[in-house]
Amino acid sequence: SEAMAGLARANAAANGISITVAHARVEELLSLPGLPDGQTQVDVIVSEWMGYALFFECMLDAVLTARDRFLRPGGALLPDAVSVHVAGVSEVACDLGFWKDVQGLDLAPCAAAARAARRSAGAVLPVDGATLLTKAATVHELDLMVASAGDAAFSTEFEVAATARGAVAAVALWFDARFTARVCPDYPVTLSTAPTAPQTHWHQAVLELEEAIDVSPGGEGGAATLLRGRVSLARAPSHRGVDVSLEVEGMGADGKRVGARAVGLFPFVMS
């Protein structure tokens, strides 16, 4: 914001630091004509480009273009690394259990309608860490100092073991943004949007299954149920939208499938 840019200037001045702070949308900076003799180079680029499921709103390419055009050799892009993660969650995470008992009434048709609406446009919900039924898997990682335009798209297989007994009703997807020791040697830090971390305005992307998959953590010699699948993300035809597709199935200790194999496409679109 302009207020933060103003504070940065004031703090620099108070400490006798000579610095130029440019406050603008990346797209506005990219429209400026280039200056000769490398005068457009900067030491640091800070951008909050992340969206739901990390890549919603499709702003990463502009940030990488600004990096290539403006960032001096040895400069820092903040954050400088990101990753996407998935895990299986219970129906409570989808907030549909509420409809089973509303002042003593079973309003299951409302739950069905809400589920159908979410399947047509994707869902962004605050997921409680207590609803996680499996371990988490990392399905995509990017080093933003060297990433290229188009690297946001991915298609990755995953396998996670059950950590609690229950029915996996959805797969939750979230991201971490890291300020690593490479660019923040004095104070490296990770911004996590995991269900087990304090909630942020990004919450979590929730991909609901048509049929829940029963899982068990095993024990007493028995193996845990495995949740196996593939998650893919690609830019959507809609403005700044992304399409997330999911294939997932449960695998029991005997190597046999548990429940139905789920396949779904979850568009995340601008409202």
Side-chain angles (χ1 to χ4, degrees), residues 12 46 66 70-71 77 80 87 106-107 127 144-145 168 173 230 233 237 251 261 266:
V46 181
F70 298 119
L71 192 63
L77 175 62
D80 66 306
D106 182 357
L107 303 184
V127 174
L144 299 179
M145 295 298 293
V168 173
L173 186 153
R230 174 180 290 273
L233 182 146
M251 193 65 63
R261 181 173 181 269
F266 303 84

Side-chain angles (χ1 to χ4, degrees), residues 148-230:
S148 302
D151 283 351
F154 66 89
S155 183
T156 306
E157 294 183 348
F158 66 90
E159 178 179 286
V160 290
T163 55
R165 183 180 301 276
V168 173
V171 170
L173 186 153
W174 66 89
F175 69 88
D176 289 346
R178 297 190 297 280
F179 303 75
T180 72
R182 171 179 55 181
V183 295
C184 297
D186 295 328
Y187 189 62
V189 67
T190 296
L191 164 66
S192 179
T193 65
T196 52
Q199 281 292 327
T200 68
H201 76 278
W202 289 286
H203 297 310
Q204 289 79 37
V206 177
L207 315 179
E208 299 185 40
L209 311 182
E210 288 287 352
E211 296 183 30
I213 299 173
D214 292 328
V215 297
S216 168
E220 298 183 359
T225 308
L226 298 177
L227 200 65
R228 292 177 176 172
R230 174 180 290 273

